[in-house]
């Protein structure tokens, strides 16, 4: 397999899907050598079967807004790979959602889920519907309308959706409610559910907590303590909030948060008390991060991202391609020591090259944000046995899983000079598991 040629041929077949091609290129470049040590892979055309999703559902969703107008949105579910378990992955509601973005996310999810060691295949879904500015009733009607089509394609042993951008506890609740009504069964077909109806303790916290656990493992390879470290966090949603919470618990100092309008910089650090305000602002009031600056009298920068601020660690937790080459250079010039990705593919290829050239501790999202889906896997286990585990038990399992992913990255990603290439490590470890499962199951 020649990674460049495969990407070129995919470019011809899917010319309008830049995010998908970007994600594929990163993985293929890092697994090329290992893949070519297995001629049986090439004979089975494993690479095309692994890059192209098993199937994609595309459909129109119609719903009625509060003024009585009939609205339409495009909606999708990409079922990428089922070789190691039922399809599993979140649902994104955001105006930018298109097939390229969902295909990149489903592709990444396949390797991420393999890394968790739990039996989950890869999928992603979503719609160009934006919950922002919509009433609660409009969100509910949209979720129900989306499920009217989606429900027949999912199930506890088929495909188990969860949250992602624009989809949190509220949206999962509405979607699960509609699912169980249509399917006439109560099963663990969604994760991220409310605690009263089968949700798992620690699932809301898991992505952010897991990312910080992973960061601590990276720092430990250089004997660095997280205590007192100044951190730049982007986003202000689920992942950003619980990233801040774990940073605060471990004595680190989060300085920034952002949303699509701008970022806040709090030189005194975001404390637990201020974070509780952010949780309420975002989860209940559904306000903008600018309001934090107004309340606490700190800096707010409109239309910018926080990467120009000076700190020790960056934890991008908003969206894809939010750190470009120029941002990465600023971070390196300002003396950053580690970048731990909470979001999926937040760094462009140019940014990754700059981080790796500077020999930073740099972890790709598929390794360091895997705690979210891993805890979804634990929610599935609890639902199957109709039991709920304590938060201590779930958190201990999450810690163990993150430590295991880190160890696998070290195993497959350590370069001759001792530098740990976490991108390479995560891609090879995830790929090998899925590849072996596909080979064993024949050409299907
Ligand atoms: P939320 O919807 O809870 O929060 C998203 C945050 O990112 C918001 O602050 C949002 O601001 C901001 N944001 C979204 N899109 C953009 C954009 N185009 N430009 C700038 N800011 C943007 O989502 P999550 O916290 O769940 O997800 C954040 C990232 O983490 C995503 O990349 C997601 O794929 C990834 N992830 C999530 C997991 C989970 O369990 N939830 C698990 C693993 C990864 P605004 O309000 O202005 O839109
Ligand atoms: O990107 C991700 O891993 C998620 N949005 C979580 C997926 C899940 O099924 O919990």
């Amino acid at each position: 397999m020649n990674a460049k040629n495969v990407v070129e041929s995919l470019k011809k077949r899917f010319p309008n899907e830049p995010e998908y091609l970007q994600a594929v290129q990163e993985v293929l470049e890092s697994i090329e050598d290992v893949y070519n040590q297995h001629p049986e892979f090439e004979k089975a055309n494993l690479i095309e079967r692994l890059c192209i999703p098993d199937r994609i559902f595309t459909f129109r969703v119609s719903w009625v807004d509060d003024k009585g107008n009939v609205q339409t949105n495009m909606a999708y579910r990409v079922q990428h790979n089922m070789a190691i378990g039922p399809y599993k992955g979140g649902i994104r509601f955001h105006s930018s959602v298109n097939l390229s973005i969902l295909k990149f996310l489903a592709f990444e999810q396949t390797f991420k889920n393999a890394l968790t060691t739990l039996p989950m295949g890869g999928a992603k879904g979503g719609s160009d519907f934006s919950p922002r500015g919509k009433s609660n009733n409009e969100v509910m009607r949209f979720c129900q309308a989306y499920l009217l089509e989606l429900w027949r394609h999912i199930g506890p042993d088929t495909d188990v959706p969860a949250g992602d951008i624009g989809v949190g506890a509220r949206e999962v609740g509405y979607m699960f409610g509609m699912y169980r009504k249509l399917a006439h069964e109560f099963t663990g077909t969604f994760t991220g559910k409310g605690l009263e109806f089968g949700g798992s303790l620690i699932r809301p916290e898991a992505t952010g907590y897991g990312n910080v656990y992973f960061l601590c493992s990276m720092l430990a390879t250089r004997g660095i303590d997280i205590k007192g470290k100044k951190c730049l966090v982007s986003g202000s949603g689920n992942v950003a909030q619980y990233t801040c919470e774990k940073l605060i618990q471990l004595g680190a100092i989060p300085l920034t948060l952002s949303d699509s309008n701008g970022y806040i910089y709090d030189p005194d650090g975001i404390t637990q008390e201020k974070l509780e305000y952010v949780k309420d602002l975002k989860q209940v009031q559904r306000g903008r991060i600018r309001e934090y600056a107004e309340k606490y009298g700190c800096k707010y920068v409109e239309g910018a991202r926080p990467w120009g601020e000076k700190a020790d660690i960056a934890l991008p937790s908003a969206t894809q391609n939010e750190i470009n080459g120029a941002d990465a250079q600023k971070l390196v010039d300002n003396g950053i020591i580690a970048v731990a990705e909470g979001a999926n593919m937040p760094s462009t290829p140019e940014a990754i090259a700059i981080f790796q050239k500077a020999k930073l501790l740099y972890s790709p999202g598929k390794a360091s944000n895997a705690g979210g889906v891993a805890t979804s896997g634990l929610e599935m286990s609890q639902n199957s046995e109709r039991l709920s585990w304590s938060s201590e038990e779930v958190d201990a399992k999450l810690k163990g899983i993150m430590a295991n992913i880190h160890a696998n990255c070290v195993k497959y990603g350590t370069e001759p000079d001792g530098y740990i290439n976490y991108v390479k490590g995560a891609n090879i470890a995830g790929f090998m598991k899925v590849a072996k499962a596909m080979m064993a199951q024949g050409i299907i």
Side-chain angles (χ1 to χ4, degrees):
M1 184 262 287
N2 177 303
K4 239 191 208 135
N5 293 347
V6 177
V7 173
E8 278 312 312
S9 102
L10 289 173
K11 245 182 216 167
K12 287 203 185 96
R13 291 166 83 171
F14 309 107
N16 302 316
E17 298 182 358
E19 293 88 358
Y20 166 66
L21 295 166
Q22 180 184 337
V24 168
Q25 180 160 358
E26 183 216 274
V27 170
L28 296 200
E29 279 174 358
S30 49
I31 62 162
E32 188 170 19
D33 290 347
V34 172
Y35 185 94
N36 287 330
Q37 288 161 21
H38 293 267
E40 71 277 15
F41 288 176
E42 186 72 356
K43 226 172 140 207
N45 196 2
L46 195 72
I47 210 63
E48 281 192 5
R49 292 196 291 127
L50 194 58
C51 291
I52 299 175
D54 288 354
R55 71 185 67 73
I56 300 172
F57 301 106
T58 304
F59 47 98
R60 167 179 49 76
V61 174
S62 304
W63 56 284
V64 183
D65 69 19
D66 287 347
K67 294 193 183 108
N69 298 321
V70 178
Q71 302 280 351
T72 63
N73 284 98
M74 287 311 296
Y76 315 85
R77 184 73 177 165
V78 178
Q79 295 183 336
H80 190 86
N81 190 291
M82 205 199 210
I84 66 168
Y87 297 112
K88 179 84 195 88
I91 289 179
R92 177 176 291 193
F93 291 164
H94 192 270
S95 53
S96 64
V97 162
N98 58 36
L99 206 47
S100 172
I101 289 176
L102 295 180
K103 277 177 72 179
F104 116 65
L105 289 162
F107 175 82
E108 288 282 288
Q109 197 81 48
T110 300
F111 300 99
K112 184 198 303 192
N113 292 4
L115 284 173
T116 66
T117 69
L118 302 174
M120 298 181 289
K124 205 87 187 189
S127 171
D128 58 8
F129 169 83
S130 170
R132 186 154 18 119
K134 304 291 192 300
S135 73
N136 213 31
N137 279 333
E138 288 175 326
V139 170
M140 181 176 73
R141 284 197 294 275
F142 177 80
C143 289
Q144 292 174 339
Y146 178 55
L147 258 290
L148 270 178
E149 179 78 28
L150 186 70
W151 81 278
R152 73 188 85 244
H153 306 305
I154 60 177
D157 299 313
T158 315
D159 185 350
V160 182
D164 193 79
I165 291 177
V167 176
R170 174 180 65 167
E171 291 74 16
V172 168
Y174 292 149
M175 287 192 277
F176 175 77
M178 195 63 175
Y179 176 80
R180 72 157 173 73
K181 188 173 171 76
L182 291 165
H184 193 53
E185 61 175 35
F186 193 110
T187 56
T189 293
F190 275 81
T191 60
K193 300 184 291 298
L195 290 178
E196 304 80 10
F197 51 97
S200 175
L201 287 162
I202 304 292
R203 175 62 189 91
E205 295 87 349
T207 311
Y209 280 18
N211 190 22
V212 178
Y213 295 151
F214 194 92
L215 168 67
C216 289
S217 294
M218 288 206 292
L219 293 172
T221 65
R222 296 191 182 170
I224 302 170
D225 191 348
I226 193 166
K227 214 166 174 208
K229 294 287 175 295
K230 296 189 168 161
C231 301
L232 305 177
V233 180
S234 64
S236 48
N238 171 273
V239 179
Q241 289 166 23
Y242 291 103
T243 294
C244 281
E245 185 158 285
K246 188 51 74 179
L247 289 171
I248 295 164
Q249 285 172 11
L250 297 179
I253 307 160
L255 296 174
T256 64
L257 283 170
S258 70
D259 58 25
S260 43
N261 293 103
Y263 77 91
I264 59 106
Y265 176 84
D266 187 338
D268 301 328
I270 298 162
T271 58
Q272 187 65 40
E273 192 194 324
K274 293 172 180 173
L275 182 60
E276 292 305 324
Y277 166 79
V278 174
K279 286 184 193 172
D280 183 69
L281 177 70
K282 288 287 171 181
Q283 292 177 29
V284 184
Q285 313 298 333
R286 302 189 184 272
R288 310 304 298 158
I289 201 63
R290 169 182 37 80
E291 296 168 52
Y292 178 106
E294 287 157 12
K295 181 168 171 66
Y296 294 109
C298 69
K299 178 166 95 173
Y300 171 69
V301 185
E302 178 83 22
R305 296 177 289 214
W307 315 125
E309 302 290 349
K310 203 168 158 38
D312 305 303
I313 294 167
L315 300 110
S317 309
T319 192
Q320 65 275 356
N321 293 329
E322 56 170 314
I323 302 183
N324 61 28
D327 297 324
Q329 196 55 53
K330 271 187 253 169
L331 288 166
V332 169
D333 292 346
N334 278 336
I336 209 95
I337 54 174
V339 180
E341 293 186 344
N344 285 307
M345 206 168 76
S347 308
T348 63
E350 296 73 31
I352 297 173
I354 289 167
F355 294 150
Q356 293 187 329
K357 188 160 170 254
K359 305 271 176 197
L360 292 194
L361 295 167
Y362 163 69
S363 65
K366 71 166 75 65
S368 52
N369 74 31
V373 73
T375 308
S376 280
L378 302 177
E379 183 169 327
M380 289 167 71
S381 301
Q382 293 169 77
N383 292 164
S384 295
E385 59 177 17
R386 299 181 196 276
L387 289 173
S388 305
W389 305 340
S390 68
S391 42
E392 290 76 18
E393 200 172 346
V394 179
D395 197 30
K397 284 196 162 68
L398 169 63
K399 270 187 193 153
I401 289 168
M402 298 316 294
N404 188 278
I405 297 173
H406 185 268
N408 262 317
C409 289
V410 172
K411 180 171 165 192
Y412 292 102
T414 304
E415 296 189 329
D417 65 356
Y419 177 65
I420 304 165
N421 184 333
Y422 286 90
V423 174
K424 191 171 152 198
N427 285 337
I428 293 175
F431 163 76
M432 282 309 287
K433 179 169 177 182
V434 180
K436 283 181 187 166
M438 287 177 73
M439 290 303 293
Q441 293 172 34
I443 312 287
I444 43 174

